[in-house]
Every structure is written in C-alpha cells, then in structure tokens.
Amino acid sequence: MIKRIGILTSGGDCPGLNAVIRSVAKKAINNGVGVVGIKDGYEGLVQGKGVRLSYRAVSGILTLGGTILGTSNKADPFHYAIKKRGKFIYKDLSRQAIANFRKWKLDALVVIGGDGTLSIGYKLFQKGMPVIGVPKTIDNDLMGTDITFGFDSALRVATEAIDKLHTTAQSHHRVMIIELMGRNAGWLALYAGLAGGGDVILIPEIPYNMDKICERVLGRSRRGKRFSIVVVAEGARPCGGKKTVSQIIKDSPDPVRLGGVSKVVCQAIEKCTGLETRVTILGHLQRGGSPTPFDRILASRFGDKAVDMILKGKFGYMVNIRGTKTGSYPLRLVQNRQRKVKPNCEIVKVARAVDTSFGD
Ligand code: F6P
C-alpha cells in the first residue's frame, strides 16, 4: 500500500523537470498518495530538506524551465563532501539519507536525473530503498531510452542559434563556429547541425582531421559560398588527440567539464584558410527556458508512467521510451554507462548525403 512518495531532481537542470514534478505529484495526489518534494537533489535527502507538495504547489509549473525543487550536481550520499577547516572531506552518508526517507514515512522515491543521479538511485535501491528513475538530460546520452526529456528543448535553442549565425555569417563572409554541449556524446551537435544546415559537424564519436575541415571550408569558398557554419560538440576531438577540458570540479561526482575545442578549431581554420572566423560557445543557454511542446508531453508521460510503476511496486527501474511507447528499463543497466552516436547511424548518413562534412 503506497501512502506517500518522495521526489527529487538532481544533476544539471534542463527544461521539463517541472513538467515531470507536476505530472508525478498530480497523479499521485489524485490516487490518494501524498508527495514530499526533496530540495536540492541528494543534498536535501542527506540533510533532511523535504516539503509537502500540495496540488496547488505543482499547479502552473508545466511551462517553467529549471526545477522548483532545486538541484545539486555535487551531492552524492555515498561520497558526501563536508567542509572541515577549509578542506573537503568525504563521508558515506547513505544511512542518513535512508533515515530521512524513513522519517518522512516514504514508500517510494522518484529520482529525476542523468546517469550520475540514476547510478546513485540504483545504489540506494540496492540498500533497500524503493526507487524509480526518470531520464533527464540535454545530452540524450542515457542507456535504455531512445530519448531523454530536455534534449528537444536544447535542440531548439541550438538550432535557433545556428539559424541566427547563418545570417551574420552570410553578410560578413565569415566562418562561424558554434560549440554545443553534450559531454561525451554528439547527439545535440549532430541533430542541431543537421536541423540548422551546418556545413561541418564535429562530434566525439567521429574524430576529426583539421585538413579535411579546411578542405571543405575552402571548397565552399571556391564554389562562391563565401561563408561556412561549423557545429562543434564540446566533446569533439582530433584523430589521435584528446578532448578539450575547460575545468575540473573536484567535489563533483563527474568532475571533468569539457569546453573550448571550438577555439582550437577556429585558430586552425583561420591559419590554413585565411578566412575570417568567429566562435560562439552557446553554454548554459542550452539548458534554460521553457520546455518545447515535445518535452512537455514526454515529461508528462514519464511522470505518469513513474506513478504507474510505483503503484504496481515495480522498483529499481527507470521509465523509458522506445519508439512511441513508454516502458521501463533496469537501473542496473543504466548506471555508469553512456549512449553514444553510432558513426554509421541514419542521421549521420542523412547529413553526409547533403554534403555535411564530419571532418573525417
Ligand atoms: O549534462 C548536461 C551538461 O549541460 C553537459 O552538456 C555539460 O557538459 C555539463 O552539463 C555542464 O555542467 P555544469 O552545469 O556543471 O557546467
């Protein structure tokens, strides 16, 4: 008998988190189940920061970006950072997290997040907590689901940015490079590059060769196309080379922050083609703003499915979508894995067919 459930959002935010919270909470409340919103992801679970979510509290949030619950991309109950005399020490506070779960008299916990969040969720499940995962990330790199919510909204932002760069690139006869997020996967750059008509798309899964990129840009220029658009995933890397790291965030479960590869590509293009080249790093704009209709619907479906699974007692699973159908996938198989672009997939082939270069 399920009487009360908890819900938290953890890791980097993205549009659609509130749509999931609303969907879970409204359906739960309509089924006579109380809902506790846990603040700031796993930090709130460890520190006991929970609030009752009323129907009214989750009303009117469907279109809001971000998360009304707050998030943390650092807090991990199994490796929790505590500052002592100016230094961080790490402790396993999972027992404290479980104690709070019991104190709130919860019968299930919905964790909304990417692979880090879901991996922690699985560890809590192994310790006896009834956990359900909901897959979120603009990177679209989670195992076990065709798509994560947040991706479509980020894709829209990225595509609009490429469209805008097109007009200024044409006016000034420039090479415009746009760097997009995505961590170690190229989904966002691939899809936005195809949707925005990028002339070159660089993704981590297809290492690039600088000469090939320059050939393409110069070839366009010779054919009278005096501008080029280069879409670069932050995880792109040259053949035999490494990814460009912008920052190491020590107390984060995933400490490496990628970024800056576009500047490297820019310098090389200017040097070998002599064409004026500019860089735009789109950054966190990709995670902001209102979710697209697609993401609002997907997030609502995921929330609905999560409550169905809770009511059936199906724990240790993540909600997923395959084709057009929602379903479930074991958290065990999600943890510490990433879904990457297959270099021979249909989308890559379609892009190549319209003469997009992958720099290979
Ligand atoms: O995973 C989402 C994401 O936006 C990645 O695309 C990006 O590499 C990373 O998070 C940025 O993290 P932060 O918000 O910590 O800078």
Side-chain angles (χ1 to χ4, degrees):
M1 176 73 180
I2 305 287
K3 286 193 180 147
R4 191 179 296 156
I5 63 171
I7 182 165
L8 62 81
T9 53
S10 187
D13 71 341
C14 74
L17 286 166
N18 286 324
V20 180
I21 296 168
R22 168 182 177 269
S23 170
V24 167
K26 283 195 171 183
K27 179 156 175 158
I29 293 166
N30 286 337
N31 278 280
V33 175
V35 183
V36 172
I38 296 159
K39 296 275 185 183
D40 303 331
Y42 289 114
E43 185 180 309
L45 190 61
V46 168
Q47 294 185 8
K49 295 190 285 180
V51 287
R52 193 180 71 87
L53 282 185
S54 63
Y55 196 93
R56 181 178 278 211
V58 296
S59 203
I61 63 169
L62 173 66
T63 62
L64 290 184
T67 160
I68 60 162
L69 293 176
T71 186
S72 159
N73 62 0
K74 292 183 181 166
D76 174 355
F78 296 90
H79 189 70
Y80 201 83
I82 298 165
K83 211 169 190 179
K84 263 202 174 164
R85 291 187 212 100
K87 275 196 171 170
F88 281 112
I89 56 159
Y90 293 88
K91 282 194 169 175
D92 180 353
L93 296 185
S94 54
R95 282 168 72 169
Q96 194 170 311
I98 292 166
N100 283 324
F101 178 87
R102 294 207 179 112
K103 187 184 84 188
W104 290 320
K105 296 193 169 52
L106 300 180
D107 301 305
L109 178 68
V110 178
V111 299
I112 312 171
D115 63 341
T117 302
L118 298 176
S119 300
I120 294 169
Y122 181 63
K123 281 165 91 177
L124 289 170
F125 171 71
Q126 283 179 307
K127 289 212 149 204
M129 200 185 272
V131 172
I132 296 278
V134 179
K136 158 241 78 164
T137 169
I138 65 161
D139 305 333
N140 203 27
D141 61 351
L142 285 183
M143 290 305 286
T145 186
D146 288 354
I147 188 156
T148 55
F149 74 88
F151 176 67
D152 187 65
S153 303
L155 178 58
R156 176 174 285 187
V157 173
T159 306
E160 280 174 7
I162 296 172
D163 291 349
K164 286 177 178 150
L165 284 177
H166 248 109
T167 58
T168 171
Q170 263 165 335
S171 314
H172 286 268
H173 319 298
R174 281 174 171 161
V175 179
M176 287 292 191
I177 304 181
I178 180 162
E179 180 174 313
L180 301 178
M181 284 183 165
R183 279 199 312 179
N184 301 307
W187 297 105
L188 196 50
L190 174 61
Y191 275 65
L194 181 60
D199 304 299
V200 178
I201 301 176
L202 305 179
I203 59 174
E205 295 87 346
I206 307 178
Y208 64 81
N209 176 330
M210 220 39 245
D211 292 341
K212 300 272 179 188
I213 299 172
C214 295
E215 245 171 56
R216 175 52 52 98
V217 169
L218 282 174
R220 279 177 57 78
S221 162
R222 271 187 234 113
R223 290 199 311 275
K225 288 275 188 187
R226 295 172 63 204
F227 74 95
S228 286
I229 303 289
V230 181
V231 181
V232 185
E234 62 182 357
R237 64 185 173 92
C239 296
K242 288 193 175 149
K243 292 178 181 158
T244 312
V245 173
S246 71
Q247 246 183 315
I248 300 286
I249 303 191
K250 271 194 189 154
D251 50 341
S252 165
D254 182 9
V256 178
R257 292 294 176 276
L258 298 170
V261 61
S262 51
K263 292 184 186 155
V264 178
V265 172
C266 174
Q267 278 181 359
I269 290 182
E270 277 207 322
K271 200 169 161 205
C272 76
T273 65
L275 296 168
E276 202 176 23
T277 307
R278 293 285 187 272
V279 167
T280 302
I281 299 181
L282 203 52
H284 290 81
L285 282 174
Q286 291 160 98
R287 295 219 312 241
S290 185
T292 56
F294 180 90
D295 272 337
R296 291 177 201 183
I297 293 167
L298 184 63
S300 302
R301 291 179 75 191
F302 279 170
D304 183 83
K305 185 75 184 174
V307 177
D308 278 347
M309 282 158 63
I310 290 170
L311 296 176
K312 284 187 187 141
K314 189 167 186 178
F315 300 114
Y317 284 82
M318 172 188 88
V319 176
N320 75 346
I321 186 157
R322 293 292 198 196
T324 55
K325 284 194 82 170
T326 56
S328 59
Y329 190 78
L331 281 174
R332 173 176 54 85
L333 302 178
V334 178
Q335 57 159 355
N336 306 321
R337 292 168 74 201
Q338 286 168 3
R339 194 175 67 96
K340 304 259 180 81
V341 173
K342 292 201 173 73
N344 272 326
C345 71
E346 191 205 343
I347 301 292
V348 171
K349 284 185 188 152
V350 171
R352 289 195 197 273
V354 291
D355 288 330
T356 305
S357 163
F358 284 86
D360 60 339

